[in-house]
Amino acid sequence: MWRKQKTDLDENQLKGNVAFVKYSTYEADSKFGEIVKGDLDFWGVSTIEFNEAGYITSTSVFDEDGELYSKENYSYKNGKLDNIIRYNSEGKLDSKTVYKWKDDKQLSSFITYDKDGKEIQKFIREYEGENLKSSSYYYRDELKTKDIITKIDGMYILESVTYDKDGKEKGKLINEFISKKLIKSEYISDKESSYSVRYNEDGCAVKSENCYVEKPGILNTNEKGIYYYEYEFDNKNNWIKCVVLKGEDKQPFKVIEREITYS
């Protein structure tokens, strides 16, 4: 990530006193010259609940039949994220992610454990003064990748380089900002792994290449090609519908709807 936004509402491109949001993702079709909703994606429904401070308290994912697939509960300590507990469709513990903070200001690590308490993965962050310097990713206690920040402007990460466990460069992330707002994020690697996303002034994706923005902050890099995003907004200037078009000829790809509950 280039920086941590003020609240989880910001990261989900939500304005105002939002208590709950429901995402529904459908296949898109064209009928009589208009784009319409097709079938609901298999795991096409998810919900997010927020507290009064604008931080997530729980998330849920449902399958196409409306059955609960997974649920995550978020806990906070001293105003900082302390842990996330994930439950499976049977309501049983699946995993727990624990967050550690340095001086209650800087996130130093977050570690995910399985239901038996064994470590699955962890991220370790290193700082240089107030600025993030690197982030290392481990799976089953084995280093997989390390990101080194090479160019930064205050809190805004402009460039970082990813290395594999042997210290070999894998790719470079480049972010562009205008008036402290991200307008483009590009990952440069081999031809198949490279991707880019362009954003509008509200932080909404408007065009992506070699990745599909499933939801704010969630990139599906298995989806290759070019994608365009068109939005409809409510009276509070929050988007409630996103039509995703694929290819230069802008063929219908997905329709994403958001139902927003305000407190």
Side-chain angles (χ1 to χ4, degrees):
M1 288 190 59
W2 54 92
R3 70 184 293 262
K4 171 68 177 175
Q5 297 293 331
K6 292 181 180 179
T7 69
D8 291 323
L9 292 177
D10 296 310
E11 290 192 338
N12 282 272
Q13 302 153 4
L14 290 164
K15 304 178 180 69
N17 299 319
V18 176
F20 181 87
V21 61
K22 176 182 177 182
Y23 288 85
S24 299
T25 303
Y26 302 86
E27 297 293 332
D29 200 357
S30 179
K31 290 185 178 180
F32 305 108
E34 295 185 358
I35 297 174
V36 297
K37 295 186 298 184
D39 293 333
L40 184 68
D41 279 1
F42 185 74
W43 288 320
V45 176
S46 62
T47 63
I48 306 175
E49 295 183 53
F50 300 90
N51 60 22
E52 292 182 355
Y55 292 98
I56 295 173
T57 57
S58 71
T59 65
S60 299
V61 178
F62 302 85
D63 65 22
E64 60 182 345
D65 296 320
E67 296 294 327
L68 181 65
Y69 173 72
S70 66
K71 183 179 179 66
E72 293 182 334
N73 289 334
Y74 290 57
S75 296
Y76 297 85
K77 185 177 181 180
N78 298 325
K80 300 293 184 181
L81 182 59
D82 184 59
N83 64 75
I84 301 175
I85 299 177
R86 187 177 189 271
Y87 299 92
N88 61 23
S89 59
E90 298 177 348
K92 296 181 179 180
L93 176 66
D94 183 76
S95 65
K96 181 177 182 178
T97 302
V98 178
Y99 292 75
K100 298 295 184 182
W101 298 81
K102 180 182 178 181
D103 301 326
D104 289 329
K105 293 180 180 180
Q106 298 173 332
L107 178 61
S108 58
S109 69
F110 50 105
I111 305 173
T112 300
Y113 303 90
D114 65 17
K115 60 184 179 61
D116 298 317
K118 295 180 180 179
E119 182 182 303
I120 302 173
Q121 62 180 5
K122 64 182 175 183
F123 291 83
I124 305 296
R125 291 183 166 187
E126 296 177 329
Y127 294 82
E128 195 172 83
E130 295 293 322
N131 295 324
L132 179 64
K133 185 61 180 177
S134 68
S135 178
S136 301
Y137 167 61
Y138 295 80
Y139 181 76
R140 300 294 184 186
D141 211 30
E142 181 183 352
L143 177 65
K144 293 298 183 180
T145 59
K146 184 169 187 175
D147 294 333
I148 304 292
I149 297 166
T150 55
K151 192 174 182 180
I152 192 168
D153 181 11
M155 293 178 63
Y156 299 87
I157 296 173
L158 304 179
E159 292 183 10
S160 67
V161 179
T162 301
Y163 298 88
D164 65 16
K165 63 180 182 179
D166 299 316
K168 183 180 179 181
E169 183 175 327
K170 292 185 64 177
K172 178 184 290 187
L173 179 67
I174 300 175
N175 295 314
E176 296 181 22
F177 296 86
I178 291 182
S179 300
K180 298 184 178 181
K181 293 182 179 180
L182 183 71
I183 61 166
K184 184 180 180 182
S185 184
E186 181 178 17
Y187 183 74
I188 302 172
S189 183
D190 58 72
K191 186 176 181 181
E192 292 185 357
S193 299
S194 296
Y195 63 84
S196 67
V197 184
R198 291 187 177 274
Y199 301 89
N200 62 17
E201 61 181 9
D202 293 318
C204 300
V206 292
K207 181 181 179 181
S208 63
E209 297 184 46
N210 286 330
C211 70
Y212 156 53
V213 183
E214 294 184 343
K215 285 191 296 186
I218 299 179
L219 305 183
N220 184 341
T221 55
N222 293 321
E223 294 284 357
K224 304 304 179 183
I226 298 174
Y227 299 85
Y228 296 89
Y229 306 81
E230 299 178 353
Y231 300 89
E232 294 181 12
F233 297 83
D234 64 10
N235 56 11
K236 296 185 182 295
N237 203 31
N238 284 319
W239 71 262
I240 53 175
K241 182 178 180 180
C242 175
V243 175
V244 186
L245 307 169
K246 185 174 183 178
E248 292 293 2
D249 55 351
K250 296 186 176 181
Q251 292 298 308
F253 180 64
K254 300 285 183 181
V255 174
I256 306 170
E257 294 182 338
R258 295 203 306 185
E259 299 177 39
I260 301 171
T261 302
Y262 296 92
S263 57

